[in-house]
Amino acid sequence: CETPSSIKNCPAGLFCPSGSAKPLDCNDLGFEMKHWGTEFSARLEGNYCPPNSQEPWTLCPGGYYCPNATVAIVCPKGHYCPAMTKEPRKCPFLSVCNEGSSAPSISWMALVGVLALGVVVYGTSFLIIWRSKKACEGDSEDEELTLFNDKVIKTICSVVLPRYKAREIADICKMGTLSVVSDPLRLDICDLTVKFKNRVILSSVNFHFPNGTLNAIFGPSGAGKTTLIKSMLGKLSYNLDVAGKVSFTKCTSNEEIKVYSNSRTCLRKTLDFFETSAARKKVISNKVGYVPQDNVVYPNLTVNENILYSVKLRNKFVASRKALTDQILNLLGLLNAKNTIVGTPERGGISGGECRRVSIGLELAGCPLCLVLDEPTTGLDAVSADRVLKCLNFLTASGMTIIASIHQPKSSIFHLFDQIHVLMKGGYVVYTGPKNYVTRYFDHLGFVMPELENPADFIIDIVSGLVNCKSKPSFTTEELAEMWVNNKQMLQHYSSDPSRYGEGSSESSFVDMDAKNQEKAMDEEAKLLLDLSLPDLHKELSRNQELNSGKHAYSLSIDELKGLVIHICAATCHLKYFDTVDECIRHVSNRIRSCLSPERNRPSGDISAGDQEPEPQSYSRLTSLFSFKSFSWSFKSALSLKSFDTDGDSSCTCNLAHYLKRQLQVACVLYSKDILGWVRLLGLKTVDMVITAVFAIILGFNQGQGNMEVKDILYMSMLINLYVGMLSVVWSITLTLERLKSAEREAGGSISTGLVYTSAKMADLIDHILRPTVFSLLFYFISLPRQSFFDFYVVVLGVSLSCSGLGDFVSVIFPENLATVMGLIIAFLFGGILNGFSPPLSDLPSEWIVFPSYARWGVEAMSLSEFKEYNDWRTITGMQHIGYSFDNYTNGVLFLYISALVLRVAAYPLFRKRALA
């Protein structure tokens, strides 16, 4: 109304409020605002003022675009125009946009992207599995050679040593690297007393564990068996008072390694609290293996892969890792199950007894000088327990010292032990000495064992006070310790012969030599006799029908046959069949000349069925431990396996380049092991991805396309952060706790915990990247927010990595039974409460309250990416109310990725401490 008497229509592009004298322009409106105490400027863009508009706030309608406030043009085909659009937006890839579309249809890119990702992941996984299966198929020929090589050794034994058990001799020969203990360990515990505050756990314990013996530790619950085992391993807790001495002695070099000596000072306890015990480091560096009560294995790998990877990680000096793996599999009777996945009780797999033997095999992979086992038969049936203990008894022939705590074994198992050590409640010693004298000792005290009674049960009953003492009716169990002190000298009178539990023998060291050095150690007469007799043996074996009728034929040269005969004689010395190798060689030579010389020719068919004594059934199907492409090459490789001294591991003779190369090799082995384990869990991973996909689809359809209010954008961002964050925390805790169990074993094998941790985290990245990728592809291309896919994905991936780092940190701070619950509580606290959105940052007394929260930065960064695509002044006003600023987008993204790295680095020292403690 230019004058009170006239009225005109307001033209398009202008607005005329009530009482206006002239129209006002709708274009390029800018204004300064003060909202909730904050001053900011805003511009009005994407508005449309049709004729007779009274205000400029009308937005350009959806399906149209408004280059200015004057016109609204229909959105062309292939484009879409949401409300407030100044120019049409190009339709997303694989989406449909008809003319006048305000939003694109759901993009097929969601399906294409997920399918492409699935093809890459599953294709790579199936390739890895295919290569693994091909490797297993390639072992079939080796298994045939294994059986043939076993036949060769037994045939030679049947010809030259018919009066002795060929099976036992062949088993010793096949031990290969496991029979090489260059410097056996002896363990001595002197006056060891362990206290916790005023409670005595072990009281003046004196035990002696000779090298090359199988030792049993008996005692009822509360007798201190576990504490005794921990003292041998250097794993006593920092808050225990320790007095006395625990030491290992290398029998060949006579070097003493003191694990504990005298008492621990307060300073030492403090250092042990913050750092790994110095005692534990000494034990690890001197090749003392430990098999815990729980079966700590790699459940997603096959039996063969478990042992092979352990050999690769722990044994860098062995000539053929495949050969050592086969040796261990055969020794433990696992050849038939070698290609079976170990599994778990929930998912199935091998039996409990087989799993226990795999656990032992992982330690044997490092060729330990001493092996300590915590209740190796717990949870096993009688047959499985018998097999496990027979394997351990067999290993002592190499000079390895084996110590096991055990609960009431059956009689046949009890008689496998060489030394018995008995504790009673309070940690007092009741008996320690040879197994053969234990019942005689208690009989001397007045405890007469009934006929057919299990000695192990009888001993436990005595210690528990269930057996009356005939010589002292008023007997109480508290007197057993004093009885031992007063009567332990009786053991010296039970045998007039030298004890077989000495500090080793010359024969043991002879077997430790390779074939060339073994020959040098023989006297000239034995050498001459052997050289003269070998041609006759060679001819007989060459025409033996059993050895030459199958796929493989006997093909040893004279020199190789000579080395094999020497090795067989060394095995007979282990079994105490002969006192010296020279004696065995003379016996063999005389046997060959008397039976195979030309003047006493006899049909070859009689040899294999000749004088051989019937063999007892073996406790396991031990075939051959040589599994190479030809017997000739395999035998030379087996004889060339050198022993090694642990002192060389820690010496500085290796240069830096060699050290770095070795660490790189270990890292590659660890990573390949972890990747193969991940692939074997592909089914479980698929279920996880399907759950993530379902949630992404539901959330995407719930949001829909089109214009959104500030509150809706913030709420959706919070839900995405909360879901991705909590899921990532839970998975990270689960994976880290699983890794901790195997890390304890690997750290005990002198493998760098830094490499173990780094490899595990790199393998876990597959989960932490795949999950947000699947979520982002589905959610983004279903809901099609205005921000770019790249901006959206960067934030979702950052949240996943940051929260998985948080899960790593939580899992090493809290006990295992509380870690998952605490992780969920912290993730929900950060994502649902301290998210900077509800309550808003502007209402908090200080922004530092929510600074550590991943959601505070994730919600803001995701919201800002969407807000910047809106031109509505109400969006700017809403941002200011919350306390958000476009300047914080970069800070939010950086916080997510930096926190992911910082949390993982911070978790490593605690991971290392728990792995080594």
Side-chain angles (χ1 to χ4, degrees), residues 153-213:
I153 295 174
K154 290 180 182 177
T155 302
I156 294 174
C157 291
S158 68
V159 173
V160 300
L161 297 166
R163 292 187 297 131
Y164 303 97
K165 295 178 180 178
R167 167 73 68 176
E168 293 184 0
I169 297 173
D171 290 346
I172 293 293
C173 289
K174 293 181 296 183
M175 287 179 68
T177 305
L178 294 176
S179 68
V180 178
V181 178
S182 59
D183 207 348
L185 286 181
R186 178 185 74 238
L187 174 60
D188 294 292
I189 298 177
C190 303
D191 293 324
L192 178 65
T193 300
V194 180
K195 297 180 180 179
F196 177 67
K197 297 181 179 178
N198 295 324
R199 176 171 169 255
V200 178
I201 303 175
L202 292 175
S203 179
S204 299
V205 173
N206 289 276
F207 282 165
H208 173 66
F209 301 89
N211 67 288
T213 58

Side-chain angles (χ1 to χ4, degrees), residues 776 788-799 889 893 896-897:
S776 299
S788 68
F789 176 77
F790 176 79
D791 289 341
F792 180 82
Y793 180 67
V794 164
V795 176
V796 175
L797 179 61
V799 171
Y889 173 78
V893 173
L896 293 175
Y897 286 91

Side-chain angles (χ1 to χ4, degrees), residues 544-695:
N544 184 279
Q545 294 180 1
E546 187 177 356
L547 291 182
N548 296 278
S549 60
K551 179 179 178 181
H552 304 283
Y554 169 80
S555 60
L556 285 181
S557 66
I558 291 291
D559 289 338
E560 292 164 350
L561 179 59
K562 181 179 181 179
L564 181 54
V565 171
I566 294 173
H567 204 61
I568 289 173
C569 281
T572 63
C573 294
H574 267 301
L575 296 170
K576 307 299 179 184
Y577 291 161
F578 296 94
D579 293 331
T580 65
V581 174
D582 290 339
E583 181 185 349
C584 175
I585 291 295
R586 290 188 180 91
H587 176 87
V588 168
S589 301
N590 292 332
R591 174 71 184 176
I592 294 173
R593 285 187 297 142
S594 62
C595 298
L596 303 180
S597 61
E599 61 270 15
R600 297 196 58 176
N601 191 17
R602 60 188 248 182
S604 61
D606 295 339
I607 292 178
S608 59
D611 302 323
Q612 184 179 4
E613 296 179 358
E615 297 177 348
Q617 289 190 351
S618 175
Y619 60 89
S620 63
R621 298 180 179 179
L622 293 171
T623 57
S624 175
L625 299 181
F626 305 122
S627 55
F628 304 91
K629 296 302 178 184
S630 69
F631 185 88
S632 172
W633 183 81
S634 69
F635 179 67
K636 287 186 285 187
S637 297
L639 290 181
S640 66
L641 299 176
K642 305 288 185 180
S643 62
F644 56 93
D645 191 347
T646 54
D647 290 340
D649 282 354
S650 58
S651 67
C652 299
T653 57
C654 297
N655 55 36
L656 180 61
H658 180 76
Y659 172 79
L660 293 177
K661 180 181 178 181
R662 171 59 186 167
Q663 296 306 306
L664 180 61
Q665 290 173 344
V666 171
C668 291
V669 172
L670 285 168
Y671 189 66
S672 61
K673 170 182 68 67
D674 290 334
I675 290 297
L676 183 58
W678 190 94
V679 169
R680 292 272 168 73
L681 281 176
L682 196 57
L684 182 60
K685 304 295 182 184
T686 301
V687 173
D688 175 41
M689 296 305 163
V690 168
I691 294 173
T692 301
V694 169
F695 187 83

Side-chain angles (χ1 to χ4, degrees), residues 421-440:
H421 311 274
V422 185
L423 292 170
M424 61 176 288
K425 285 189 176 181
Y428 294 97
V429 178
V430 174
Y431 176 86
T432 175
K435 171 248 317 182
N436 297 334
Y437 306 150
V438 62
T439 54
R440 196 184 306 180

